[in-house]
Amino acid sequence: MKNISGAFVCLTSRVAEYLATAKFSSIRRACITQTNTPNGVQFSPDIEKKIKSSTNLDDLLDVLAESPFWSWIDLRLLEALVAASGSSKCDTLISSYKEAIFSRKLIDILPNVPSKELKEKYYMKIVSKLDKEADDITVADLLEFRSQLEVVIMDIKNGICVLDHFKDGCVEIHWYIPAEIVDHAYQTASIQYHKFHELHLQYLQIGSFPPIYNPLMMRLPQLESVPSLPDIADTMTII
């Protein structure tokens, strides 16, 4: 399926049919415990409050759909619900989705990728530009890059970056991270910029801070060529 949004809607709709037969309290609890789960989703206080007050599956799914972590590329919430339901059919659906979508090249899905466009006060945008082309990167590669960007470069929790959108050419990826960790992320990235080349990262801009550049990719001004001097031996007068 070429339309990424359509593929994700189809997946979530089919999974919801199986979740309807599961115990709702167990499914809701699986969402609530995400905050305390290693690499789990970190909800904003507003979303967490709505999850706790939801009384049925439809209400809960509506709340999760508001979350920036409910997206075509981030399946952690969906996987948590499926784990709580114990549905093997849902496991198969998610596996099939991953196999079909995560192997796709970015160049093939760029026109159809939805943007989260978060306006919430809890998040700030970061921009990462890669020295790679979209036809060299798969969705799985993008997830691996996100993990390295979070853990190695910014020293923040794995999976906390929310994908906003990306541009073609030398791939420019826009993310969101919680506002309260922006200062820490910037300070750490300013120290770890010597590792940018390992991620093919040209530059990283975090919030309103100035961009941090890969020192190996910075364009230094060309020095004007200096005429070569004659060999001193040629200028000596033999007496």
Side-chain angles (χ1 to χ4, degrees):
M1 184 180 292
K2 290 185 177 181
N3 190 306
I4 299 299
S5 296
F8 182 65
V9 168
C10 181
L11 172 67
T12 54
S13 297
R14 294 193 62 186
V15 167
E17 293 176 3
Y18 292 107
L19 294 180
T21 62
K23 188 176 180 180
F24 173 70
S25 59
S26 298
I27 293 175
R28 181 178 56 190
R29 190 177 304 114
C31 294
I32 296 172
T33 56
Q34 278 289 295
T35 302
N36 300 320
T37 302
N39 300 327
V41 168
Q42 301 296 300
F43 295 111
S44 67
D46 291 347
I47 295 294
E48 186 172 1
K49 182 178 180 180
K50 290 180 180 179
I51 290 173
K52 291 179 179 179
S53 61
S54 61
T55 57
N56 58 65
L57 180 63
D58 283 337
D59 285 347
L60 177 62
L61 293 179
D62 286 344
V63 172
L64 296 181
E66 296 178 23
S67 164
F69 300 99
W70 185 266
S71 75
W72 69 273
I73 196 171
D74 192 341
L75 303 181
R76 289 176 295 167
L77 284 176
L78 200 59
E79 289 174 327
L81 300 185
V82 169
S85 73
S87 172
S88 59
K89 292 182 178 179
C90 287
D91 282 332
T92 301
L93 286 173
I94 291 177
S95 296
S96 298
Y97 175 90
K98 285 183 174 181
E99 184 177 348
I101 301 300
F102 287 11
S103 60
R104 300 283 296 277
K105 296 290 184 69
L106 296 191
I107 192 67
D108 296 329
I109 65 174
L110 272 169
N112 300 298
V113 174
S115 172
K116 295 301 289 188
E117 295 183 355
L118 293 183
K119 306 295 184 183
E120 295 188 49
K121 61 184 177 180
Y122 301 108
Y123 299 93
M124 293 190 70
K125 183 175 285 189
I126 68 174
V127 179
S128 54
K129 187 167 185 178
L130 303 184
D131 186 33
K132 297 188 78 172
E133 302 295 326
D135 56 359
D136 292 331
I137 305 174
T138 65
V139 174
D141 293 333
L142 181 61
L143 286 170
E144 177 60 24
F145 169 76
R146 182 185 71 173
S147 178
Q148 294 298 310
L149 179 65
E150 292 164 334
V151 177
V152 177
I153 302 299
M154 297 190 293
D155 186 34
I156 60 178
K157 188 174 180 179
N158 194 6
I160 207 167
C161 284
V162 177
L163 177 65
D164 177 24
H165 69 279
F166 37 76
K167 299 179 180 179
D168 200 354
C170 286
V171 180
E172 183 178 284
I173 312 167
H174 294 234
W175 314 84
Y176 288 101
I177 61 173
E180 69 268 16
I181 65 173
V182 165
D183 287 353
H184 173 77
Y186 175 76
Q187 296 299 329
T188 305
S190 298
I191 297 171
Q192 299 286 49
Y193 71 97
H194 62 282
K195 296 183 179 180
F196 279 18
H197 70 280
E198 298 174 8
L199 277 66
H200 301 278
L201 184 58
Q202 288 188 6
Y203 71 79
L204 178 66
Q205 182 163 16
I206 302 174
S208 59
F209 288 105
I212 306 169
Y213 290 91
N214 182 340
L216 299 181
M217 294 184 182
M218 291 180 67
R219 300 294 184 186
L220 298 178
Q222 293 279 341
L223 294 176
E224 294 184 7
S225 59
V226 179
S228 58
L229 297 175
D231 191 283
I232 191 171
D234 294 336
T235 64
M236 294 178 65
T237 303
I238 301 177
I239 301 178

